Amino acid sequence: MTLEDLGYNNELEEARKARGLDSFIIGRVILKHRDRFIVRTESKEFDCELVGNLRFTVSDQSELPFVGDWVAISEYDEDKALIHAVLERNSILERKAIGKFGQTQIIAANIDVGIIIQSVNRDFSINRLERYLTICNASKIEPIIVLSKIDLIEESELKELLTQVRKRIQNVPIIPISNQTHLGIEEIKSKLTKGKTYCLLGSSGVGKSTLINTIAGSKLVKTGAISESIDRGKHVTTHRELIVFENGVLIDNPGMREVGITDDSDGFEMTFEEILNLSKECKYSDCTHTTEDGCAVLTALKNNTLSPELYENFLKMEKERIYFESNALDRKKKGKDLGKLIKNMKKNNNKY
């Protein structure tokens, strides 16, 4: 295996040289367990930990390694190494941290494509697809939608679902698949490229791990049987893991019960481009698209040229985005106030 197989490129090599990291081994984080990391290099895998300087000098947790990161390491024992630095990222896939106001949680780093998987047999939701699209768009990551388990519904039902999705979501590839019959699998394989990194996103039990095994042609990831009581696969993946195979790099991701939206307006606008384009015709530049006269969005809604479901999800997610932004600003202000307090205490202590 080469570093290029893992996704290494000339830009990363130039960044490595610019930071004076030539003497270190370069590898990619394929697994993270709290403060321990499994790093894959050209020749082997290392069980790694952070050097003290990196652990205690970072100003934010996001500066520490995550699955998908490229790191500079030094071997200190057989199959053991220290992580000295994290190389620059080309993308960060993140969502709102659960239960932590104004904070984000990194899902993975250096992702090229987000494969959004949703099963068609239960809990199907276009609203949820739009949430996943938003976090992909916010990270400038190309999205692909995969509708799994199509063998569990009639062909007419599938056609209706595809019509509904394509009406709401445009310019994004949508691939219906069955891991049982292998229908659609070759189409997915045709979109995978050696050296690129793909992150699988979706709720628990939609078939992410099974898809990896199907694509790879071997059982690389543990999977669970479908539960008869809830009609979906059992939750198996408990951590993010990077898997290298002949047509690219796949990151298996634990099922997400919540896909919280952050304050990235660019990603939000890309997802709701139809409403953004309409808003340019609104009478007021600060139109909220809820009660204003001369609102082009409300006019389109009244004329049945805009989906009510799309509009309702837009309002819900916009409210969530603004709420996150206000909490993030408040948290930032508190951080600055605390910093000033500590600085003043140090200054006063130096007087005595």
Side-chain angles (χ1 to χ4, degrees), residues 6 9 15 40 54 99 110 158 169 185 242 257 260 264 276 298 317-319 321 329 333 336 340 344:
L6 283 163
N9 54 41
R40 185 77 168 89
L54 179 59
N110 299 309
L158 176 61
I169 300 171
I185 298 301
L242 186 148
R257 287 172 295 189
D264 191 292
L276 175 66
L298 292 178
M317 289 172 61
E318 171 69 351
K319 182 180 179 181
R321 187 186 69 81
L329 290 172
K333 182 180 181 300
K336 284 184 178 180
K340 287 180 182 178
N344 290 333

Side-chain angles (χ1 to χ4, degrees), residues 27-40:
R28 196 169 190 190
V29 178
I30 65 171
L31 196 62
K32 178 181 178 181
H33 285 298
R34 294 186 180 179
D35 57 350
R36 307 290 296 189
F37 308 84
I38 302 299
V39 174
R40 185 77 168 89

Side-chain angles (χ1 to χ4, degrees), residues 110-342:
N110 299 309
I111 307 301
D112 296 300
V113 179
I115 301 179
I116 304 166
I117 305 178
Q118 191 165 117
S119 59
V120 298
N121 63 315
R122 188 179 179 91
D123 297 331
F124 179 81
S125 169
I126 301 177
N127 287 357
R128 195 179 299 119
L129 285 177
E130 287 171 343
R131 284 180 172 270
Y132 281 113
L133 279 176
T134 299
I135 64 173
C136 286
N137 290 333
S139 304
K140 306 299 185 291
I141 292 170
E142 178 189 345
I144 294 176
I145 294 174
V146 172
L147 302 182
S148 66
K149 304 185 181 181
I150 61 172
D151 54 288
L152 298 180
I153 63 172
E154 297 295 330
E155 188 175 343
S156 58
E157 293 178 83
L158 176 61
K159 285 182 178 180
E160 177 59 29
L161 280 181
L162 287 171
T163 299
Q164 291 175 20
V165 175
R166 286 171 177 147
K167 185 177 179 181
R168 289 263 297 270
I169 300 171
Q170 299 165 11
N171 303 318
V172 177
I174 302 170
I175 306 175
I177 70 157
S178 168
N179 284 308
Q180 298 300 315
T181 67
H182 287 200
L183 188 65
I185 298 301
E186 289 304 317
E187 186 176 355
I188 291 180
K189 285 184 177 181
S190 70
K191 293 187 177 295
L192 305 182
T193 304
K194 190 173 185 178
K196 281 197 170 186
T197 302
Y198 306 82
C199 186
L200 277 66
L201 302 165
S203 305
S204 298
V206 297
K208 298 187 297 295
S209 299
T210 304
L211 178 59
I212 288 178
N213 291 339
T214 305
I215 290 173
S218 60
K219 194 166 185 178
L220 299 178
V221 186
K222 184 180 178 182
T223 59
I226 291 178
S227 167
E228 292 183 5
S229 60
I230 60 174
D231 194 27
R232 65 170 178 258
K234 296 175 183 176
H235 176 64
V236 174
T237 302
T238 56
H239 52 257
R240 292 170 187 90
E241 182 175 2
L242 186 148
I243 299 159
V244 185
F245 77 116
E246 61 181 359
N247 287 336
V249 179
L250 293 172
I251 292 182
D252 192 18
N253 196 57
M256 290 188 277
R257 287 172 295 189
E258 294 182 28
V259 191
I261 303 303
T262 65
D263 59 341
D264 191 292
S265 59
D266 290 341
F268 186 77
E269 289 172 357
M270 286 178 69
T271 303
F272 295 99
E273 187 177 8
E274 183 180 358
I275 291 179
L276 175 66
N277 289 334
L278 284 169
S279 68
K280 295 174 183 177
E281 305 299 323
C282 289
K283 183 177 180 179
Y284 305 105
S285 59
D286 59 349
C287 185
T288 64
H289 317 304
T290 52
T291 59
E292 295 89 347
D293 291 330
C295 173
V297 175
L298 292 178
T299 300
L301 197 64
K302 185 178 179 180
N303 295 337
N304 296 320
T305 56
L306 177 67
S307 164
E309 293 80 12
L310 177 71
Y311 172 73
E312 288 171 10
N313 201 32
F314 163 79
L315 290 182
K316 183 178 180 181
M317 289 172 61
E318 171 69 351
K319 182 180 179 181
E320 188 177 326
R321 187 186 69 81
I322 293 172
Y323 184 65
F324 178 93
E325 185 177 31
S326 63
N327 277 299
L329 290 172
D330 183 53
R331 185 168 165 265
K332 189 175 181 180
K333 182 180 181 300
K334 287 179 180 178
K336 284 184 178 180
D337 292 343
L338 179 61
K340 287 180 182 178
L341 178 63
I342 293 172

Side-chain angles (χ1 to χ4, degrees), residues 5-20:
D5 292 332
L6 283 163
Y8 201 67
N9 54 41
N10 291 333
E11 287 78 10
L12 286 165
E13 180 62 18
E14 290 301 319
R16 172 194 183 186
K17 291 178 179 177
R19 291 179 61 182

